Amino acid sequence: EQNCVSRSKNKDVSIVTERPYQFPKPGTKALRRRPVIIGSGPAGLFCCYMLAQNGYRPILLERGKDVEARKKDVEAFWNGEPLNPESNVSFGEGGAGTFSDGKLNTLIKDKDGRGRHVLSIFVENGAQPEILYEAKPHIGTDVLSNVVKQMRKKIIQLGGEVRFESRVETFRTENGALTGVILSDGSVIDTETAVLAIGHSARDTFSMLLSRQVPMEEKAFAVGLRIQHPQNMINLSQYGREDAGALGAANYKLTRQTKSGRGVYTFCMCPGGYVVNASSEAGRLAVNGMSYHDRAGENANSALIVTVTPEDFPERGALGGVAFQRKLEEAAYQAAGGKIPVQLYGDFCQNKISSQLGGVNPQMRGEWAFGDVRSIMPEPLNQALIEAMEGFGHMIHGFDRPDALLAGIESRTSSPVRIWRDEQFESEVRGLYPCGEGAGYAGVITSAAMDGLKIAEAIAKKYLPCYD
């Protein structure tokens, strides 16, 4: 006890008292219609889950399919079938995070216990209990798909409703307030409360919102390439041995400031993972990284990304970042005839298309081919990446090896827009609540889920869960 007291006097040591999460007591205003949640990614799913638990009987709308049907569509696409623009790595139950490593760490300060509560809900619905105490918790895409399915079943048991293949076309308003949502099939859901948890790839919805004069703005984000190395090389650098053993496949996080002032950093690192074709629009190609729970794949991969600002965009205005993403994705699609374009790092530096592999075997989900990856991004971004790679090679021996594999384009690191909301989390359209990563308020699974909790709390503070 004396040791604890003396240590607490050290200015570099904080005594942390965990505050249990508490959902607010309901407000006093009668809610005449059921709240509608648009999007079943982590923001929408957790918002809906909390509202259902507290008697609000929400309606969850998802433009894509349920996770089982979605997995079949994604596997078919990865095996060479045509892209389904409404059912892919970006759209469908669980959102883009369903086909990822399922990393659950976040840098957000959590004084209200939302992050801990998110992890508890994951465990209640089938995630492994160790995520509650691991420093860098992850679920894995194979486990995460089952978790989101269980959460959906729980929402329905609690009086909520989940509708798949239900894309919102537009809104109905009266005197600046929401009165309903109109679906692509022409049907209307009357509601005075809708949560916009649309994800970072709902570009058609961004355009609709802009046409309806919902305030939004372009914002900085980052783009880049996926890089693959042998996992045993990363293990050796981080652990001093190639066999990770009980430590599990090693990870890393690298950052670098270039002479030009651009930040270059690794993002969404997937130990023992795969590079996946994450496209959602015909004629455009985007990649992401994914790991299964066991992280037993041959390679490590991460996004090697460069910061971009509105000054880099070809068009100005709220959707300038969207236009920039699309331009890069069109170039990526053309670089290898619609397959994931791959180039060895040494050949990337020499600006020549690769003709054979070195010591790194591609670990892909989706068809790939050698292509001109160097041509995808503007040259200032390529130069920033090369400069940073030289520094990263001093941090992890072999990181800049000539046969490391680059694939592109990683264009969906975060939303290219921010949809304005006030201190009560509402848009200028009263009753419309921008939420999560797509709205520009989160960046990873956990932060998006935490934002979903915030919106559920805001609705609860205002309304009683009662209807006509």
Side-chain angles (χ1 to χ4, degrees):
E1 183 177 343
Q2 288 179 341
N3 288 337
C4 292
V5 172
S6 63
R7 287 192 65 193
S8 69
K9 294 177 182 179
N10 187 328
K11 63 181 179 62
D12 296 322
V13 176
S14 298
I15 297 177
V16 177
T17 302
E18 188 174 295
R19 180 185 299 180
Y21 175 76
Q22 290 187 328
F23 196 74
K25 295 180 180 179
T28 58
K29 187 174 181 179
L31 188 61
R32 295 172 296 156
R33 297 285 186 269
R34 298 167 70 177
V36 172
I37 317 298
I38 304 167
S40 71
L45 187 63
F46 275 82
C47 181
C48 188
Y49 192 90
M50 294 307 301
L51 289 174
Q53 272 196 332
N54 290 276
Y56 288 84
R57 298 174 56 235
I59 300 172
L60 178 59
L61 303 177
E62 168 55 55
R63 66 188 294 168
K65 298 181 181 179
D66 68 79
V67 71
E68 294 299 332
R70 180 189 181 195
K71 284 196 294 186
K72 293 178 182 178
D73 289 340
V74 169
E75 288 288 346
F77 173 59
W78 286 345
N79 289 325
E81 294 295 319
L83 172 73
N84 183 338
E86 298 294 338
S87 181
N88 47 60
V89 171
S90 293
F91 298 138
E93 185 173 21
T98 302
F99 293 92
S100 71
D101 185 60
K103 286 178 284 292
L104 301 178
N105 50 301
T106 177
L107 298 178
I108 294 177
K109 293 183 179 179
D110 188 28
K111 63 182 180 64
D112 295 312
R114 293 189 185 96
R116 179 76 178 181
H117 194 60
V118 165
L119 297 180
S120 297
I121 291 173
F122 274 130
V123 172
E124 289 169 9
N125 288 277
Q128 51 275 25
E130 54 263 34
I131 66 173
L132 293 172
Y133 56 81
E134 288 179 331
K136 295 182 178 180
H138 86 105
I139 293 181
T141 190
D142 45 342
V143 176
L144 190 55
S145 60
N146 291 322
V147 171
V148 299
K149 181 168 63 175
Q150 291 304 314
M151 290 182 67
R152 178 230 307 167
K153 291 180 178 179
K154 192 75 66 68
I155 287 168
I156 294 171
Q157 291 172 0
L158 293 166
E161 183 178 345
V162 181
R163 303 184 189 181
F164 296 107
E165 300 181 75
S166 299
R167 180 171 58 84
V168 172
E169 189 74 30
T170 188
F171 298 97
R172 191 180 62 197
T173 59
E174 185 176 324
N175 298 323
L178 182 73
T179 61
V181 298
I182 302 172
L183 304 185
S184 57
D185 63 3
S187 60
V188 180
I189 301 175
D190 294 326
T191 185
E192 70 262 45
T193 307
V195 178
L196 273 175
I198 55 179
H200 57 38
S201 296
R203 295 163 174 172
D204 49 359
T205 307
F206 293 151
S207 296
M208 179 273 289
L209 294 169
L210 188 63
S211 71
R212 296 297 305 269
Q213 298 183 318
V214 174
M216 65 175 70
E217 61 183 4
E218 60 190 357
K219 73 175 184 65
F221 56 107
V223 298
L225 307 172
R226 278 271 155 186
I227 188 165
Q228 293 189 70
H229 301 94
Q231 181 62 53
N232 59 15
M233 186 196 91
I234 305 300
N235 294 343
L236 181 62
S237 173
Q238 306 297 74
Y239 299 151
R241 66 186 194 189
E242 292 187 356
D243 182 6
L247 294 171
N251 58 32
Y252 59 80
K253 184 174 180 63
L254 305 173
T255 64
R256 195 82 172 176
Q257 189 79 8
T258 66
K259 295 175 183 177
S260 65
R262 289 187 188 273
V264 182
Y265 56 100
T266 60
F267 172 79
C268 188
M269 192 269 160
C270 297
Y274 301 83
V275 173
V276 306
N277 190 331
S279 305
S280 63
E281 294 181 330
R284 301 187 177 104
L285 187 144
V287 297
N288 197 4
M290 180 187 83
S291 293
Y292 297 108
H293 173 61
D294 60 10
R295 289 177 164 175
E298 180 181 336
N299 288 353
N301 77 76
S302 69
L304 188 66
I305 54 178
V306 186
T307 55
V308 294
T309 67
E311 285 69 34
D312 294 303
F313 303 160
E315 301 175 13
R316 300 313 298 265
L319 300 184
V322 172
F324 182 60
Q325 288 177 326
R326 281 176 162 161
K327 182 179 179 181
L328 297 178
E329 291 170 16
E330 287 162 8
Y333 187 89
Q334 294 164 6
K339 298 178 181 179
I340 299 173
V342 171
Q343 192 172 24
L344 275 64
Y345 175 62
D347 293 334
F348 179 88
C349 293
Q350 297 179 37
N351 200 12
K352 68 177 185 180
I353 296 175
S354 301
S355 58
Q356 62 182 15
L357 297 169
V360 185
N361 297 313
Q363 298 292 290
M364 303 286 195
R365 290 292 181 262
E367 297 181 309
W368 69 273
F370 289 125
D372 191 359
V373 175
R374 179 74 178 254
S375 69
I376 297 173
M377 295 195 299
E379 195 56 24
L381 303 189
N382 291 329
Q383 292 295 335
L385 188 149
I386 291 171
E387 180 184 337
M389 280 289 290
E390 293 173 354
F392 294 160
H394 294 294
M395 299 176 187
I396 295 179
H397 180 69
F399 198 87
D400 57 347
R401 57 191 284 173
D403 62 350
L405 298 180
L406 296 176
I409 178 83
E410 177 92 16
S411 53
R412 313 282 182 91
T413 57
S414 63
S415 179
V417 305
R418 177 169 287 111
I419 305 172
W420 182 87
R421 67 189 189 189
D422 63 16
E423 293 182 357
Q424 285 71 47
F425 304 99
E426 290 184 80
S427 166
E428 280 190 1
V429 177
R430 300 293 88 187
L432 196 61
Y433 292 82
C435 177
E437 184 173 356
Y441 297 98
V444 293
I445 290 173
T446 303
S447 62
M450 291 168 68
D451 202 56
L453 264 59
K454 287 182 184 178
I455 301 302
E457 293 162 16
I459 292 171
K461 288 176 183 177
K462 184 173 182 179
Y463 293 106
L464 280 167
C466 50
Y467 315 90
D468 291 339

